[in-house]
């Protein structure tokens, strides 16, 4: 199992994030996950750097393994994403993976194209994954469906076979992606629900496909400060995915979150000032079979979080390199 650092482009500038992933590696984190948004979730978060430009710099500046959650099909043509992944893998073999999801209107709506229903978005996603895999073989690809590809060929192909995970938040989606992706990424939820989620996925995927868990936490040396920081930065993100996927602007997210209380956020984010609390929860997540656990400290105090995890949490968690 590896413990990773989440690089949140919605909350920090690319320059600051580059420094943070270097500090995370020095502290003992062994992988990283990059978000890929055009807009932040909130005007308060206030950033939205282009992750694909940043990834090349971050992978050169560290020895970490990197992943990204991406929605091919509308804002990005899958042939362009296939080219981007192949380029990173050619420079940094076996250090990069991609998780593909159906996307959110917050980012994809900028094209002006119609935001499709979930069924169409899912069909588009599956087609995009199929196209990317064909392009990585180095063959000419033509495809007509929810996406269109005409006579495309990658002349710079990956050094290794890139891993494509499926992004899923519900048991239904987890079972749908299981047969045609290489693994799964999801986000933390209460343990009973997460245990049922894993069981549902394993029923279809079998016992061996890798699973990655992104865990939202908020750490400060003072609990109330940690709770306030989580509320300030993350209160817009606690709604069901079926609602979040159709909201189009940060202003609308801010309107949605204006009545959210601190205690509401505490039900969705692991908030604590205790190393033992985080060690216990990470070990419980690991016990469900997750191969990587990505820690996203949702408040703005990243340096303190990285130092704290490096000195008081990570030494107690057995990681594989």
């Amino acid at each position: 199992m590896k413990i990773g650092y989440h690089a949140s482009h919605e909350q920090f500038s690319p320059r600051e994030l580059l420094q943070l992933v270097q500090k995370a590696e020095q502290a003992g984190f062994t992988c990283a996950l990059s978000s890929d948004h055009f807009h932040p979730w909130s005007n308060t978060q206030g950033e939205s750097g282009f992750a694909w430009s940043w990834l090349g710099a971050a992978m050169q500046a560290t020895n970490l393994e990197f992943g990204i959650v991406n929605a091919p099909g509308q804002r990005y043509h899958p042939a362009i994403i296939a080219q981007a992944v192949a380029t990173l893998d050619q420079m940094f073999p076996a250090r990069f993976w991609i998780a593909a999801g159906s996307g959110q209107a917050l980012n994809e709506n900028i094209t002006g194209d119609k935001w499709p229903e979930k069924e169409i978005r899912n069909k588009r996603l599956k087609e995009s994954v199929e196209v990317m895999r064909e392009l990585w073989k180095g063959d000419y690809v033509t495809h007509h469906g929810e996406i269109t590809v005409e006579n495309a060929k990658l002349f710079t192909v990956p050094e290794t076979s890139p891993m494509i995970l499926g992004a899923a938040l519900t048991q239904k989606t987890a079972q749908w992606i299981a047969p045609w992706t290489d693994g799964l990424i999801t986000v933390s939820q209460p343990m009973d629900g997460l245990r049922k989620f894993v069981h549902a996925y394993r029923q279809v995927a079998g016992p061996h496909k890798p699973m990655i868990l992104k865990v939202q936490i908020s750490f400060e040396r003072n609990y109330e400060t940690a709770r306030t920081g989580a509320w300030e930065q993350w209160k817009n993100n606690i709604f069901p995915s079926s609602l979040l996927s159709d909201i189009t602007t940060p202003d609308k997210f801010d309107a949605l979150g204006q009545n959210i209380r601190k205690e509401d956020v505490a039900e969705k984010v692991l908030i604590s000032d205790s190393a033992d609390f985080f060690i216990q929860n990470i070990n419980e997540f690991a016990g469900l079979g997750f191969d990587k656990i990505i820690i996203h400290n949702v408040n703005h105090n990243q340096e303190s979080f990285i130092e704290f995890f490096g000195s008081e949490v990570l030494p107690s968690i057995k990681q594989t390199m």
Side-chain angles (χ1 to χ4, degrees), residues 33 37 41 69 100-104 118 121-122 125 166-177 183-190 193-198 200-201 212-216 234 237-246 268 290:
L33 175 67
H37 271 219
W41 301 99
V69 180
S102 60
Q104 295 170 322
K118 177 66 171 173
R121 299 202 307 269
N122 282 351
L125 171 63
L169 298 177
T170 67
Q171 293 182 33
K172 181 179 179 180
T173 300
Q175 292 189 320
W176 174 66
I177 65 170
L184 168 141
I185 188 169
T186 190
V187 298
S188 55
Q189 56 177 292
L194 190 59
R195 188 175 291 109
K196 294 175 182 176
F197 177 93
V198 169
Y201 176 70
I212 299 176
L213 180 69
K214 179 175 175 280
V215 181
Q216 279 83 223
W234 212 246
N237 299 63
I238 68 171
F239 298 96
S241 60
S242 57
L243 176 60
L244 296 180
S245 63
D246 290 329
K268 303 291 185 179
F290 287 98

CSV table of all heavy atoms in Angstrom, one decimal, residues 33 37 41 69 100-104 118 121-122 125 166-177 183-190 193-198 200-201 212-216 234 237-246 268 290:
chain,number,residue,atom,x,y,z
A,33,LEU,N,-1.8,12.5,-6.4
A,33,LEU,CA,-2.9,12.6,-7.3
A,33,LEU,C,-3.2,14.0,-7.6
A,33,LEU,O,-3.2,14.9,-6.8
A,33,LEU,CB,-4.2,12.0,-6.6
A,33,LEU,CG,-5.5,12.1,-7.4
A,33,LEU,CD1,-5.5,11.3,-8.6
A,33,LEU,CD2,-6.7,11.8,-6.5
A,37,HIS,N,-9.4,20.4,-13.1
A,37,HIS,CA,-10.6,21.2,-13.2
A,37,HIS,C,-10.3,22.4,-14.1
A,37,HIS,O,-9.2,22.9,-14.1
A,37,HIS,CB,-11.0,21.7,-11.8
A,37,HIS,CG,-12.0,20.8,-11.1
A,37,HIS,ND1,-13.0,21.3,-10.3
A,37,HIS,CD2,-12.0,19.5,-11.0
A,37,HIS,CE1,-13.7,20.3,-9.8
A,37,HIS,NE2,-13.1,19.2,-10.2
A,41,TRP,N,-14.3,24.6,-7.2
A,41,TRP,CA,-15.7,24.4,-6.6
A,41,TRP,C,-16.3,25.6,-6.0
A,41,TRP,O,-17.5,25.7,-5.8
A,41,TRP,CB,-15.6,23.3,-5.5
A,41,TRP,CG,-15.0,22.0,-5.9
A,41,TRP,CD1,-13.7,21.6,-5.7
A,41,TRP,CD2,-15.6,20.9,-6.5
A,41,TRP,NE1,-13.5,20.3,-6.2
A,41,TRP,CE2,-14.7,19.9,-6.7
A,41,TRP,CE3,-16.9,20.7,-7.0
A,41,TRP,CZ2,-15.0,18.7,-7.3
A,41,TRP,CZ3,-17.3,19.5,-7.6
A,41,TRP,CH2,-16.3,18.5,-7.7
A,69,VAL,N,-7.4,12.3,-12.3
A,69,VAL,CA,-8.8,12.0,-12.6
A,69,VAL,C,-9.2,12.9,-13.7
A,69,VAL,O,-9.1,14.1,-13.6
A,69,VAL,CB,-9.7,12.1,-11.4
A,69,VAL,CG1,-11.1,11.7,-11.8
A,69,VAL,CG2,-9.2,11.2,-10.3
A,100,ALA,N,-10.5,7.6,-15.4
A,100,ALA,CA,-11.4,8.3,-16.3
A,100,ALA,C,-12.8,8.3,-15.7
A,100,ALA,O,-13.3,7.3,-15.1
A,100,ALA,CB,-11.5,7.5,-17.6
A,101,GLY,N,-13.4,9.5,-15.7
A,101,GLY,CA,-14.8,9.6,-15.2
A,101,GLY,C,-15.7,10.3,-16.2
A,101,GLY,O,-15.2,10.8,-17.2
A,102,SER,N,-17.0,10.4,-15.9
A,102,SER,CA,-17.9,10.9,-16.9
A,102,SER,C,-18.0,12.4,-16.8
A,102,SER,O,-18.6,13.1,-17.6
A,102,SER,CB,-19.3,10.3,-16.6
A,102,SER,OG,-19.8,10.6,-15.3
A,103,GLY,N,-17.4,13.1,-15.8
A,103,GLY,CA,-17.2,14.5,-15.8
A,103,GLY,C,-18.3,15.2,-15.0
A,103,GLY,O,-19.3,14.7,-14.6
A,104,GLN,N,-18.1,16.6,-15.0
A,104,GLN,CA,-19.1,17.4,-14.3
A,104,GLN,C,-19.3,18.7,-15.1
A,104,GLN,O,-18.3,19.2,-15.8
A,104,GLN,CB,-18.6,17.8,-12.9
A,104,GLN,CG,-18.5,16.6,-12.0
A,104,GLN,CD,-17.7,17.0,-10.7
A,104,GLN,OE1,-16.8,17.8,-10.7
A,104,GLN,NE2,-18.2,16.5,-9.6
A,118,LYS,N,-26.7,11.4,-18.0
A,118,LYS,CA,-25.7,10.5,-17.4
A,118,LYS,C,-25.5,9.2,-18.3
A,118,LYS,O,-24.4,8.8,-18.5
A,118,LYS,CB,-26.2,10.0,-16.0
A,118,LYS,CG,-25.2,9.0,-15.4
A,118,LYS,CD,-23.9,9.6,-15.1
A,118,LYS,CE,-23.1,8.6,-14.2
A,118,LYS,NZ,-21.7,9.1,-14.0
A,121,ARG,N,-23.3,10.3,-21.1
A,121,ARG,CA,-22.0,10.5,-20.6
A,121,ARG,C,-21.2,9.2,-20.4
A,121,ARG,O,-20.0,9.1,-20.7
A,121,ARG,CB,-22.0,11.4,-19.4
A,121,ARG,CG,-22.7,12.7,-19.5
A,121,ARG,CD,-22.3,13.7,-18.5
A,121,ARG,NE,-22.4,13.3,-17.1
A,121,ARG,CZ,-23.6,13.5,-16.4
A,121,ARG,NH1,-24.6,14.1,-16.9
A,121,ARG,NH2,-23.6,13.1,-15.1
A,122,ASN,N,-21.9,8.3,-19.8
A,122,ASN,CA,-21.3,7.0,-19.6
A,122,ASN,C,-20.9,6.3,-20.9
A,122,ASN,O,-19.8,5.7,-21.0
A,122,ASN,CB,-22.2,6.0,-18.8
A,122,ASN,CG,-22.2,6.4,-17.3
A,122,ASN,OD1,-21.5,7.2,-16.9
A,122,ASN,ND2,-23.1,5.8,-16.6
A,125,LEU,N,-17.8,8.0,-22.2
A,125,LEU,CA,-16.7,7.7,-21.5
A,125,LEU,C,-16.1,6.3,-21.9
A,125,LEU,O,-14.9,6.2,-22.1
A,125,LEU,CB,-17.0,7.6,-20.0
A,125,LEU,CG,-16.0,7.1,-19.0
A,125,LEU,CD1,-14.7,7.9,-19.0
A,125,LEU,CD2,-16.5,6.9,-17.6
A,166,GLY,N,-11.2,3.4,-13.4
A,166,GLY,CA,-12.5,4.0,-13.5
A,166,GLY,C,-12.8,4.8,-12.2
A,166,GLY,O,-12.6,4.3,-11.1
A,167,ALA,N,-13.4,6.0,-12.4
A,167,ALA,CA,-13.8,6.8,-11.2
A,167,ALA,C,-15.3,6.5,-10.9
A,167,ALA,O,-16.1,6.6,-11.7
A,167,ALA,CB,-13.6,8.3,-11.5
A,168,ALA,N,-15.5,6.1,-9.6
A,168,ALA,CA,-16.9,5.7,-9.2
A,168,ALA,C,-17.2,6.2,-7.8
A,168,ALA,O,-16.3,6.2,-6.9
A,168,ALA,CB,-17.0,4.2,-9.3
A,169,LEU,N,-18.4,6.7,-7.6
A,169,LEU,CA,-18.9,7.2,-6.3
A,169,LEU,C,-20.0,6.3,-5.8
A,169,LEU,O,-20.3,6.3,-4.6
A,169,LEU,CB,-19.3,8.6,-6.4
A,169,LEU,CG,-18.2,9.6,-6.7
A,169,LEU,CD1,-18.8,11.0,-6.8
A,169,LEU,CD2,-17.1,9.6,-5.7
A,170,THR,N,-20.7,5.5,-6.7
A,170,THR,CA,-21.8,4.7,-6.2
A,170,THR,C,-21.5,3.2,-6.6
A,170,THR,O,-20.7,2.9,-7.4
A,170,THR,CB,-23.1,5.1,-7.0
A,170,THR,OG1,-22.9,4.8,-8.4
A,170,THR,CG2,-23.4,6.6,-6.8
A,171,GLN,N,-22.2,2.4,-5.9
A,171,GLN,CA,-22.0,0.9,-6.1
A,171,GLN,C,-22.4,0.6,-7.6
A,171,GLN,O,-21.7,-0.2,-8.2
A,171,GLN,CB,-22.9,0.1,-5.2
A,171,GLN,CG,-22.5,0.2,-3.7
A,171,GLN,CD,-23.3,-0.7,-2.8
A,171,GLN,OE1,-23.8,-1.7,-3.3
A,171,GLN,NE2,-23.5,-0.2,-1.6
A,172,LYS,N,-23.4,1.2,-8.1
A,172,LYS,CA,-23.9,1.0,-9.5
A,172,LYS,C,-22.8,1.3,-10.5
A,172,LYS,O,-22.5,0.5,-11.4
A,172,LYS,CB,-25.1,1.8,-9.8
A,172,LYS,CG,-25.7,1.5,-11.2
A,172,LYS,CD,-26.9,2.3,-11.4
A,172,LYS,CE,-27.5,2.1,-12.8
A,172,LYS,NZ,-28.7,2.9,-13.0
A,173,THR,N,-22.1,2.5,-10.3
A,173,THR,CA,-21.1,2.9,-11.2
A,173,THR,C,-19.9,2.0,-11.1
A,173,THR,O,-19.2,1.6,-12.0
A,173,THR,CB,-20.7,4.3,-11.0
A,173,THR,OG1,-21.8,5.2,-11.2
A,173,THR,CG2,-19.6,4.8,-11.9
A,174,ALA,N,-19.5,1.6,-9.8
A,174,ALA,CA,-18.4,0.7,-9.6
A,174,ALA,C,-18.5,-0.6,-10.3
A,174,ALA,O,-17.6,-1.1,-10.9
A,174,ALA,CB,-18.2,0.5,-8.1
A,175,GLN,N,-19.7,-1.2,-10.3
A,175,GLN,CA,-20.0,-2.4,-10.9
A,175,GLN,C,-20.0,-2.3,-12.5
A,175,GLN,O,-19.5,-3.2,-13.2
A,175,GLN,CB,-21.3,-3.1,-10.5
A,175,GLN,CG,-21.2,-3.5,-9.0
A,175,GLN,CD,-22.4,-4.3,-8.6
A,175,GLN,OE1,-23.5,-4.1,-9.0
A,175,GLN,NE2,-22.2,-5.4,-7.8
A,176,TRP,N,-20.4,-1.1,-12.9
A,176,TRP,CA,-20.4,-0.9,-14.4
A,176,TRP,C,-19.0,-0.8,-14.9
A,176,TRP,O,-18.7,-1.3,-16.0
A,176,TRP,CB,-21.2,0.4,-14.7
A,176,TRP,CG,-21.2,0.8,-16.1
A,176,TRP,CD1,-21.7,0.1,-17.2
A,176,TRP,CD2,-20.5,2.0,-16.6
A,176,TRP,NE1,-21.4,0.8,-18.3
A,176,TRP,CE2,-20.7,2.0,-18.0
A,176,TRP,CE3,-19.9,3.0,-16.1
A,176,TRP,CZ2,-20.2,3.0,-18.9
A,176,TRP,CZ3,-19.4,4.1,-16.9
A,176,TRP,CH2,-19.5,4.0,-18.3
A,177,ILE,N,-18.1,-0.1,-14.2
A,177,ILE,CA,-16.8,0.1,-14.8
A,177,ILE,C,-15.9,-1.1,-14.6
A,177,ILE,O,-14.8,-1.2,-15.2
A,177,ILE,CB,-16.1,1.3,-14.1
A,177,ILE,CG1,-15.9,1.1,-12.6
A,177,ILE,CG2,-16.8,2.6,-14.4
A,177,ILE,CD1,-15.0,2.1,-12.0
A,183,GLY,N,-8.9,-0.9,-12.9
A,183,GLY,CA,-9.0,-0.7,-11.5
A,183,GLY,C,-10.0,0.4,-11.2
A,183,GLY,O,-10.8,0.9,-12.0
A,184,LEU,N,-10.0,0.9,-9.9
A,184,LEU,CA,-11.1,1.8,-9.5
A,184,LEU,C,-10.4,2.9,-8.6
A,184,LEU,O,-9.5,2.6,-7.8
A,184,LEU,CB,-12.1,1.1,-8.7
A,184,LEU,CG,-13.2,1.8,-7.9
A,184,LEU,CD1,-14.5,1.2,-8.0
A,184,LEU,CD2,-12.8,1.9,-6.4
A,185,ILE,N,-11.0,4.1,-8.7
A,185,ILE,CA,-10.7,5.1,-7.7
A,185,ILE,C,-12.0,5.7,-7.2
A,185,ILE,O,-13.0,5.8,-7.9
A,185,ILE,CB,-9.9,6.3,-8.2
A,185,ILE,CG1,-9.4,7.2,-7.1
A,185,ILE,CG2,-10.6,7.0,-9.4
A,185,ILE,CD1,-8.4,8.3,-7.5
A,186,THR,N,-12.1,5.9,-5.8
A,186,THR,CA,-13.3,6.4,-5.2
A,186,THR,C,-12.9,7.3,-4.1
A,186,THR,O,-11.7,7.5,-3.8
A,186,THR,CB,-14.2,5.3,-4.7
A,186,THR,OG1,-15.5,5.9,-4.4
A,186,THR,CG2,-13.6,4.5,-3.6
A,187,VAL,N,-13.9,7.9,-3.4
A,187,VAL,CA,-13.6,8.8,-2.3
A,187,VAL,C,-14.2,8.2,-1.0
A,187,VAL,O,-15.0,7.4,-1.0
A,187,VAL,CB,-14.2,10.2,-2.5
A,187,VAL,CG1,-13.6,10.9,-3.8
A,187,VAL,CG2,-15.7,10.2,-2.6
A,188,SER,N,-13.6,8.7,0.1
A,188,SER,CA,-14.0,8.1,1.4
A,188,SER,C,-15.4,8.4,1.7
A,188,SER,O,-16.0,9.4,1.3
A,188,SER,CB,-13.1,8.7,2.5
A,188,SER,OG,-13.1,10.1,2.5
A,189,GLN,N,-16.0,7.5,2.5
A,189,GLN,CA,-17.4,7.6,3.1
A,189,GLN,C,-17.4,6.8,4.4
A,189,GLN,O,-16.4,6.2,4.7
A,189,GLN,CB,-18.4,7.1,2.1
A,189,GLN,CG,-18.1,5.6,1.7
A,189,GLN,CD,-19.2,5.1,0.7
A,189,GLN,OE1,-20.4,4.9,1.2
A,189,GLN,NE2,-18.9,4.9,-0.5
A,190,PRO,N,-18.4,6.9,5.2
A,190,PRO,CA,-18.5,6.1,6.4
A,190,PRO,C,-18.2,4.7,6.1
A,190,PRO,O,-18.5,4.1,5.1
A,190,PRO,CB,-19.9,6.3,6.9
A,190,PRO,CG,-20.2,7.7,6.4
A,190,PRO,CD,-19.6,7.8,5.0
A,193,GLY,N,-20.7,2.0,4.7
A,193,GLY,CA,-21.0,2.3,3.2
A,193,GLY,C,-19.8,1.9,2.4
A,193,GLY,O,-20.0,1.3,1.3
A,194,LEU,N,-18.6,2.2,2.8
A,194,LEU,CA,-17.4,1.9,2.0
A,194,LEU,C,-17.2,0.4,1.9
A,194,LEU,O,-16.8,-0.1,0.8
A,194,LEU,CB,-16.2,2.6,2.6
A,194,LEU,CG,-14.9,2.6,1.8
A,194,LEU,CD1,-15.2,3.3,0.4
A,194,LEU,CD2,-13.8,3.3,2.5
A,195,ARG,N,-17.5,-0.3,3.0
A,195,ARG,CA,-17.3,-1.8,2.9
A,195,ARG,C,-18.3,-2.4,1.9
A,195,ARG,O,-18.0,-3.3,1.2
A,195,ARG,CB,-17.6,-2.3,4.3
A,195,ARG,CG,-17.3,-3.8,4.5
A,195,ARG,CD,-17.5,-4.2,5.9
A,195,ARG,NE,-16.4,-3.7,6.8
A,195,ARG,CZ,-16.6,-2.8,7.7
A,195,ARG,NH1,-17.9,-2.3,7.9
A,195,ARG,NH2,-15.7,-2.3,8.5
A,196,LYS,N,-19.6,-1.9,1.9
A,196,LYS,CA,-20.5,-2.4,0.9
A,196,LYS,C,-20.1,-2.0,-0.5
A,196,LYS,O,-20.3,-2.8,-1.4
A,196,LYS,CB,-21.9,-1.8,1.2
A,196,LYS,CG,-22.5,-2.3,2.6
A,196,LYS,CD,-23.8,-1.6,2.9
A,196,LYS,CE,-24.4,-2.1,4.2
A,196,LYS,NZ,-25.6,-1.4,4.6
A,197,PHE,N,-19.6,-0.8,-0.7
A,197,PHE,CA,-19.1,-0.4,-2.0
A,197,PHE,C,-18.0,-1.3,-2.5
A,197,PHE,O,-18.0,-1.7,-3.7
A,197,PHE,CB,-18.6,1.1,-1.8
A,197,PHE,CG,-18.0,1.7,-3.1
A,197,PHE,CD1,-18.8,2.4,-4.0
A,197,PHE,CD2,-16.7,1.5,-3.4
A,197,PHE,CE1,-18.2,2.9,-5.1
A,197,PHE,CE2,-16.1,2.0,-4.5
A,197,PHE,CZ,-16.9,2.8,-5.4
A,198,VAL,N,-17.0,-1.6,-1.7
A,198,VAL,CA,-15.9,-2.5,-2.1
A,198,VAL,C,-16.4,-3.9,-2.4
A,198,VAL,O,-16.0,-4.5,-3.4
A,198,VAL,CB,-14.9,-2.5,-1.0
A,198,VAL,CG1,-13.8,-3.7,-1.2
A,198,VAL,CG2,-14.1,-1.2,-0.8
A,200,ALA,N,-19.4,-4.7,-3.5
A,200,ALA,CA,-20.1,-4.6,-4.8
A,200,ALA,C,-19.1,-4.6,-5.9
A,200,ALA,O,-19.4,-5.3,-7.0
A,200,ALA,CB,-21.0,-3.4,-4.8
A,201,TYR,N,-18.1,-3.8,-5.8
A,201,TYR,CA,-17.1,-3.8,-6.9
A,201,TYR,C,-16.4,-5.1,-7.1
A,201,TYR,O,-16.2,-5.6,-8.2
A,201,TYR,CB,-16.1,-2.7,-6.6
A,201,TYR,CG,-14.9,-2.6,-7.6
A,201,TYR,CD1,-15.1,-2.2,-8.9
A,201,TYR,CD2,-13.6,-3.0,-7.2
A,201,TYR,CE1,-14.1,-2.1,-9.8
A,201,TYR,CE2,-12.6,-3.0,-8.1
A,201,TYR,CZ,-12.8,-2.5,-9.4
A,201,TYR,OH,-11.8,-2.4,-10.3
A,212,ILE,N,-8.0,2.5,-5.5
A,212,ILE,CA,-7.4,3.7,-4.9
A,212,ILE,C,-8.5,4.4,-4.1
A,212,ILE,O,-9.6,4.6,-4.7
A,212,ILE,CB,-6.7,4.5,-5.9
A,212,ILE,CG1,-5.6,3.7,-6.6
A,212,ILE,CG2,-6.2,5.8,-5.3
A,212,ILE,CD1,-4.9,4.5,-7.7
A,213,LEU,N,-8.2,4.9,-3.0
A,213,LEU,CA,-9.2,5.7,-2.2
A,213,LEU,C,-8.6,7.1,-1.9
A,213,LEU,O,-7.5,7.3,-1.4
A,213,LEU,CB,-9.4,5.0,-0.8
A,213,LEU,CG,-10.4,5.7,0.1
A,213,LEU,CD1,-11.8,5.6,-0.4
A,213,LEU,CD2,-10.3,5.1,1.5
A,214,LYS,N,-9.4,8.1,-2.3
A,214,LYS,CA,-9.1,9.5,-1.9
A,214,LYS,C,-9.8,9.9,-0.6
A,214,LYS,O,-11.1,9.8,-0.6
A,214,LYS,CB,-9.5,10.4,-3.1
A,214,LYS,CG,-9.2,11.9,-2.8
A,214,LYS,CD,-9.5,12.7,-4.0
A,214,LYS,CE,-9.3,14.2,-3.8
A,214,LYS,NZ,-10.5,14.8,-3.1
A,215,VAL,N,-9.1,10.3,0.4
A,215,VAL,CA,-9.7,10.6,1.7
A,215,VAL,C,-9.6,12.0,2.0
A,215,VAL,O,-8.5,12.6,2.0
A,215,VAL,CB,-8.9,9.8,2.8
A,215,VAL,CG1,-9.6,10.1,4.1
A,215,VAL,CG2,-9.0,8.3,2.5
A,216,GLN,N,-10.8,12.7,2.2
A,216,GLN,CA,-10.8,14.1,2.6
A,216,GLN,C,-10.6,14.2,4.1
A,216,GLN,O,-11.4,13.6,4.9
A,216,GLN,CB,-12.1,14.7,2.2
A,216,GLN,CG,-12.2,15.2,0.7
A,216,GLN,CD,-12.6,14.0,-0.2
A,216,GLN,OE1,-12.0,13.9,-1.3
A,216,GLN,NE2,-13.5,13.2,0.2
A,234,TRP,N,-14.5,23.5,1.9
A,234,TRP,CA,-15.0,22.3,1.3
A,234,TRP,C,-16.5,22.1,1.5
A,234,TRP,O,-17.1,21.1,1.2
A,234,TRP,CB,-14.3,21.0,2.0
A,234,TRP,CG,-14.2,19.9,1.0
A,234,TRP,CD1,-14.8,18.7,1.1
A,234,TRP,CD2,-13.5,19.8,-0.2
A,234,TRP,NE1,-14.5,17.9,0.0
A,234,TRP,CE2,-13.7,18.6,-0.8
A,234,TRP,CE3,-12.6,20.8,-0.9
A,234,TRP,CZ2,-13.1,18.2,-2.0
A,234,TRP,CZ3,-12.1,20.4,-2.1
A,234,TRP,CH2,-12.3,19.1,-2.6
A,237,ASN,N,-18.8,20.8,-1.4
A,237,ASN,CA,-18.5,19.5,-2.0
A,237,ASN,C,-19.1,18.3,-1.4
A,237,ASN,O,-18.8,17.2,-1.7
A,237,ASN,CB,-16.9,19.3,-2.0
A,237,ASN,CG,-16.2,20.4,-2.7
A,237,ASN,OD1,-16.2,21.5,-2.4
A,237,ASN,ND2,-15.5,20.0,-3.8
A,238,ILE,N,-20.0,18.6,-0.4
A,238,ILE,CA,-20.5,17.4,0.3
A,238,ILE,C,-21.9,16.9,-0.2
A,238,ILE,O,-22.4,16.0,0.4
A,238,ILE,CB,-20.7,17.8,1.8
A,238,ILE,CG1,-21.8,18.9,2.0
A,238,ILE,CG2,-19.3,18.3,2.4
A,238,ILE,CD1,-22.1,19.1,3.5
A,239,PHE,N,-22.4,17.5,-1.3
A,239,PHE,CA,-23.7,17.0,-1.8
A,239,PHE,C,-23.5,15.8,-2.6
A,239,PHE,O,-22.4,15.4,-3.1
A,239,PHE,CB,-24.3,18.2,-2.6
A,239,PHE,CG,-24.6,19.4,-1.8
A,239,PHE,CD1,-23.6,20.5,-1.8
A,239,PHE,CD2,-25.7,19.5,-1.1
A,239,PHE,CE1,-23.9,21.6,-1.1
A,239,PHE,CE2,-26.0,20.7,-0.3
A,239,PHE,CZ,-25.0,21.7,-0.3
A,240,PRO,N,-24.6,15.1,-2.9
A,240,PRO,CA,-24.6,13.8,-3.7
A,240,PRO,C,-24.0,14.1,-5.1
A,240,PRO,O,-24.2,15.2,-5.7
A,240,PRO,CB,-26.0,13.4,-3.8
A,240,PRO,CG,-26.7,14.0,-2.6
A,240,PRO,CD,-26.0,15.3,-2.4
A,241,SER,N,-23.3,13.1,-5.7
A,241,SER,CA,-22.7,13.3,-7.0
A,241,SER,C,-23.7,13.6,-8.1
A,241,SER,O,-23.4,14.3,-9.0
A,241,SER,CB,-21.9,12.0,-7.3
A,241,SER,OG,-22.8,10.9,-7.4
A,242,SER,N,-24.9,13.1,-7.9
A,242,SER,CA,-26.0,13.3,-8.9
A,242,SER,C,-26.3,14.8,-9.0
A,242,SER,O,-26.8,15.3,-10.1
A,242,SER,CB,-27.2,12.5,-8.6
A,242,SER,OG,-27.7,12.8,-7.3
A,243,LEU,N,-26.2,15.5,-7.9
A,243,LEU,CA,-26.5,16.9,-7.9
A,243,LEU,C,-25.2,17.7,-8.3
A,243,LEU,O,-25.3,18.6,-9.2
A,243,LEU,CB,-26.9,17.3,-6.5
A,243,LEU,CG,-27.1,18.8,-6.2
A,243,LEU,CD1,-28.2,19.4,-7.1
A,243,LEU,CD2,-27.4,19.1,-4.8
A,244,LEU,N,-24.1,17.3,-7.8
A,244,LEU,CA,-22.8,18.1,-8.1
A,244,LEU,C,-22.5,18.0,-9.6
A,244,LEU,O,-21.9,19.0,-10.1
A,244,LEU,CB,-21.7,17.5,-7.3
A,244,LEU,CG,-21.8,17.6,-5.8
A,244,LEU,CD1,-20.5,17.0,-5.1
A,244,LEU,CD2,-21.9,19.1,-5.3
A,245,SER,N,-22.8,17.0,-10.3
A,245,SER,CA,-22.4,16.8,-11.7
A,245,SER,C,-23.1,17.8,-12.6
A,245,SER,O,-22.6,18.0,-13.7
A,245,SER,CB,-22.6,15.4,-12.1
A,245,SER,OG,-24.0,15.1,-12.1
A,246,ASP,N,-24.2,18.4,-12.2
A,246,ASP,CA,-25.0,19.2,-13.1
A,246,ASP,C,-24.9,20.7,-12.8
A,246,ASP,O,-25.5,21.5,-13.5
A,246,ASP,CB,-26.5,18.8,-13.1
A,246,ASP,CG,-26.7,17.4,-13.7
A,246,ASP,OD1,-25.9,17.1,-14.7
A,246,ASP,OD2,-27.6,16.7,-13.3
A,268,LYS,N,-18.7,14.5,6.6
A,268,LYS,CA,-18.2,14.1,5.3
A,268,LYS,C,-16.6,14.1,5.3
A,268,LYS,O,-16.0,13.5,4.4
A,268,LYS,CB,-18.7,15.0,4.2
A,268,LYS,CG,-20.2,15.0,4.1
A,268,LYS,CD,-20.8,13.6,3.6
A,268,LYS,CE,-22.3,13.7,3.4
A,268,LYS,NZ,-22.8,12.4,2.9
A,290,PHE,N,-7.5,-1.4,-0.2
A,290,PHE,CA,-7.1,-0.3,-1.1
A,290,PHE,C,-5.5,-0.4,-1.2
A,290,PHE,O,-4.8,-0.5,-0.3
A,290,PHE,CB,-7.5,1.0,-0.5
A,290,PHE,CG,-9.0,1.2,-0.7
A,290,PHE,CD1,-9.9,1.0,0.3
A,290,PHE,CD2,-9.5,1.6,-1.9
A,290,PHE,CE1,-11.2,1.2,0.2
A,290,PHE,CE2,-10.9,1.8,-2.1
A,290,PHE,CZ,-11.7,1.6,-1.0
